[in-house]
Amino acid sequence: MRTQEYVHAELMKADDETKARLLVPAPFGFIEADIKGITYGLIVMEYLPGKSIRELIWPLRMANVRESDKRITSLKDRVIYAVCFLLSLALPPGTAPGPVGGGRMKNYAFGTDDPEAPCQFHSLGNLQTYINDEIEHVYSNVYVMVFNVLPTI
Protein backbone atom coordinates (compact mmCIF):
# COMPACT_ATOMS: atom_id res chain seq x y z
CA MET A 1 0.00 0.00 0.00
CA ARG A 2 2.92 2.34 0.64
CA THR A 3 3.94 2.12 -3.00
CA GLN A 4 0.38 2.99 -4.09
CA GLU A 5 0.36 5.94 -1.67
CA TYR A 6 3.71 7.13 -3.02
CA VAL A 7 2.61 6.98 -6.69
CA HIS A 8 -0.68 8.73 -5.89
CA ALA A 9 1.10 11.50 -3.94
CA GLU A 10 3.60 12.01 -6.78
CA LEU A 11 0.80 12.21 -9.35
CA MET A 12 -0.93 14.88 -7.24
CA LYS A 13 2.26 16.99 -7.60
CA ALA A 14 2.26 16.63 -11.41
CA ASP A 15 0.99 19.17 -13.93
CA ASP A 16 -2.71 19.30 -14.83
CA GLU A 17 -2.24 17.51 -18.18
CA THR A 18 -0.57 14.54 -16.49
CA LYS A 19 -3.27 14.39 -13.79
CA ALA A 20 -5.93 14.41 -16.51
CA ARG A 21 -4.26 11.61 -18.48
CA LEU A 22 -3.44 9.29 -15.56
CA LEU A 23 -5.84 7.98 -12.97
CA VAL A 24 -4.24 6.70 -9.79
CA PRO A 25 -6.73 6.08 -6.98
CA ALA A 26 -5.88 7.13 -3.45
CA PRO A 27 -5.48 4.09 -1.21
CA PHE A 28 -7.50 4.06 2.03
CA GLY A 29 -6.48 0.82 3.66
CA PHE A 30 -5.28 -2.74 3.32
CA ILE A 31 -7.06 -5.91 4.33
CA GLU A 32 -6.29 -9.58 4.05
CA ALA A 33 -9.20 -11.83 3.18
CA ASP A 34 -9.30 -15.61 3.22
CA ILE A 35 -11.41 -16.71 0.24
CA LYS A 36 -11.86 -20.45 -0.30
CA GLY A 37 -8.65 -21.19 1.57
CA ILE A 38 -6.51 -18.65 -0.26
CA THR A 39 -5.35 -15.48 1.49
CA TYR A 40 -5.60 -12.37 -0.65
CA GLY A 41 -4.14 -8.96 0.13
CA LEU A 42 -6.57 -6.27 -0.95
CA ILE A 43 -6.00 -2.53 -1.16
CA VAL A 44 -9.14 -0.50 -0.50
CA MET A 45 -8.96 2.47 -2.85
CA GLU A 46 -10.83 5.52 -3.98
CA TYR A 47 -13.39 4.83 -6.72
CA LEU A 48 -12.53 6.51 -9.99
CA PRO A 49 -15.18 6.49 -12.71
CA GLY A 50 -14.02 5.37 -16.13
CA LYS A 51 -13.68 2.31 -18.29
CA SER A 52 -11.88 -0.85 -17.28
CA ILE A 53 -9.22 -2.35 -19.53
CA ARG A 54 -11.73 -5.04 -20.44
CA GLU A 55 -14.25 -2.40 -21.56
CA LEU A 56 -11.58 -0.72 -23.67
CA ILE A 57 -10.33 -3.91 -25.31
CA TRP A 58 -13.61 -5.83 -25.85
CA PRO A 59 -14.88 -3.58 -28.68
CA LEU A 60 -11.65 -4.27 -30.58
CA ARG A 61 -12.89 -7.77 -31.24
CA MET A 62 -15.89 -6.39 -33.12
CA ALA A 63 -14.13 -3.55 -34.97
CA ASN A 64 -12.75 -3.79 -38.48
CA VAL A 65 -8.98 -4.13 -38.78
CA ARG A 66 -8.28 -0.44 -39.49
CA GLU A 67 -10.43 0.76 -36.59
CA SER A 68 -8.97 -1.93 -34.33
CA ASP A 69 -5.42 -0.80 -35.19
CA LYS A 70 -6.28 2.82 -34.32
CA ARG A 71 -7.73 1.82 -30.95
CA ILE A 72 -4.82 -0.48 -30.13
CA THR A 73 -2.38 2.34 -30.95
CA SER A 74 -4.34 4.65 -28.65
CA LEU A 75 -4.18 2.09 -25.83
CA LYS A 76 -0.47 1.52 -26.38
CA ASP A 77 0.14 5.27 -26.23
CA ARG A 78 -1.71 5.46 -22.91
CA VAL A 79 0.30 2.59 -21.45
CA ILE A 80 3.57 4.12 -22.68
CA TYR A 81 2.62 7.47 -21.11
CA ALA A 82 1.86 5.78 -17.77
CA VAL A 83 5.10 3.77 -17.79
CA CYS A 84 7.10 6.90 -18.66
CA PHE A 85 5.48 8.72 -15.74
CA LEU A 86 6.40 5.90 -13.36
CA LEU A 87 9.97 5.84 -14.66
CA SER A 88 10.23 9.61 -14.17
CA LEU A 89 9.55 9.38 -10.43
CA ALA A 90 12.54 10.02 -8.21
CA LEU A 91 13.24 7.14 -5.89
CA PRO A 92 12.80 7.99 -2.22
CA PRO A 93 16.09 8.03 -0.25
CA GLY A 94 17.29 4.59 0.77
CA THR A 95 15.04 2.82 -1.74
CA ALA A 96 15.59 -0.92 -2.07
CA PRO A 97 13.61 -3.61 -3.90
CA GLY A 98 10.24 -4.00 -2.19
CA PRO A 99 7.53 -1.67 -0.96
CA VAL A 100 8.23 2.03 -0.56
CA GLY A 101 9.48 2.55 2.98
CA GLY A 102 11.04 -0.91 3.23
CA GLY A 103 9.84 -4.38 3.99
CA ARG A 104 9.67 -7.73 2.30
CA MET A 105 8.49 -8.04 -1.27
CA LYS A 106 5.37 -10.03 -1.99
CA ASN A 107 5.24 -11.78 -5.32
CA TYR A 108 4.12 -15.21 -6.48
CA ALA A 109 7.67 -15.72 -7.78
CA PHE A 110 8.52 -16.53 -4.14
CA GLY A 111 5.76 -19.15 -3.98
CA THR A 112 2.00 -19.34 -4.32
CA ASP A 113 1.43 -20.62 -0.79
CA ASP A 114 3.50 -17.87 0.82
CA PRO A 115 4.37 -15.13 -1.67
CA GLU A 116 6.43 -13.12 0.83
CA ALA A 117 10.15 -12.92 0.09
CA PRO A 118 12.29 -14.93 2.53
CA CYS A 119 14.18 -11.77 3.49
CA GLN A 120 14.30 -8.05 2.89
CA PHE A 121 16.55 -7.20 -0.07
CA HIS A 122 18.72 -4.16 0.52
CA SER A 123 19.85 -3.67 -3.10
CA LEU A 124 19.22 -4.90 -6.63
CA GLY A 125 22.50 -6.79 -6.39
CA ASN A 126 21.27 -8.54 -3.24
CA LEU A 127 18.03 -9.54 -5.00
CA GLN A 128 19.92 -10.67 -8.10
CA THR A 129 22.26 -12.85 -6.03
CA TYR A 130 19.27 -14.47 -4.30
CA ILE A 131 17.54 -15.19 -7.63
CA ASN A 132 20.71 -16.59 -9.21
CA ASP A 133 21.32 -18.82 -6.16
CA GLU A 134 17.74 -20.11 -6.35
CA ILE A 135 18.08 -20.82 -10.08
CA GLU A 136 21.32 -22.67 -9.42
CA HIS A 137 19.74 -24.66 -6.57
CA VAL A 138 16.50 -25.55 -8.36
CA TYR A 139 18.13 -26.31 -11.70
CA SER A 140 21.44 -27.72 -10.43
CA ASN A 141 21.21 -30.64 -12.84
CA VAL A 142 20.34 -28.45 -15.84
CA TYR A 143 22.67 -26.05 -17.61
CA VAL A 144 21.28 -22.57 -17.00
CA MET A 145 22.77 -19.34 -18.22
CA VAL A 146 22.70 -16.70 -15.49
CA PHE A 147 22.32 -13.19 -16.81
CA ASN A 148 23.33 -9.98 -15.14
CA VAL A 149 20.07 -8.02 -14.95
CA LEU A 150 21.44 -4.94 -13.22
CA PRO A 151 21.00 -1.83 -15.36
CA THR A 152 24.13 -0.30 -16.81
CA ILE A 153 24.65 3.42 -17.12
Side-chain angles (χ1 to χ4, degrees):
M1 187 166 119
R2 292 174 296 202
T3 302
Q4 181 76 17
E5 288 171 335
Y6 173 72
V7 172
H8 180 266
E10 291 300 306
L11 178 61
M12 293 301 100
K13 296 176 193 173
D15 60 77
D16 290 339
E17 179 190 355
T18 300
K19 285 190 249 187
R21 291 184 73 179
L22 297 174
L23 301 175
V24 177
F28 297 130
F30 178 83
I31 58 172
E32 285 190 356
D34 190 39
I35 303 171
K36 296 183 180 178
I38 300 172
T39 303
Y40 294 91
L42 307 167
I43 299 175
V44 180
M45 294 185 275
E46 165 187 28
Y47 171 77
L48 296 175
K51 290 186 177 184
S52 68
I53 296 294
R54 178 182 217 151
E55 291 170 314
L56 293 171
I57 291 174
W58 185 255
L60 298 179
R61 296 178 60 147
M62 303 304 178
N64 64 44
V65 173
R66 180 170 288 162
E67 182 62 28
S68 180
D69 286 347
K70 281 188 219 172
R71 290 184 186 176
I72 287 172
T73 298
S74 173
L75 287 174
K76 285 180 185 176
D77 289 346
R78 291 170 74 175
V79 170
I80 290 168
Y81 189 85
V83 169
C84 287
F85 170 77
L86 291 172
L87 291 173
S88 76
L89 298 179
L91 297 176
T95 297
V100 171
R104 292 182 180 192
M105 303 169 99
K106 286 191 178 186
N107 189 298
Y108 286 126
F110 297 112
T112 53
D113 293 335
D114 183 12
E116 187 170 75
C119 62
Q120 185 172 340
F121 300 105
H122 300 288
S123 68
L124 282 176
N126 185 231
L127 172 60
Q128 181 176 325
T129 298
Y130 170 80
I131 291 170
N132 288 342
D133 289 348
E134 284 298 302
I135 289 171
E136 201 170 302
H137 172 73
V138 171
Y139 298 102
S140 60
N141 60 346
V142 178
Y143 176 74
V144 177
M145 243 182 161
V146 178
F147 295 96
N148 183 350
V149 296
L150 289 177
T152 56
I153 297 175

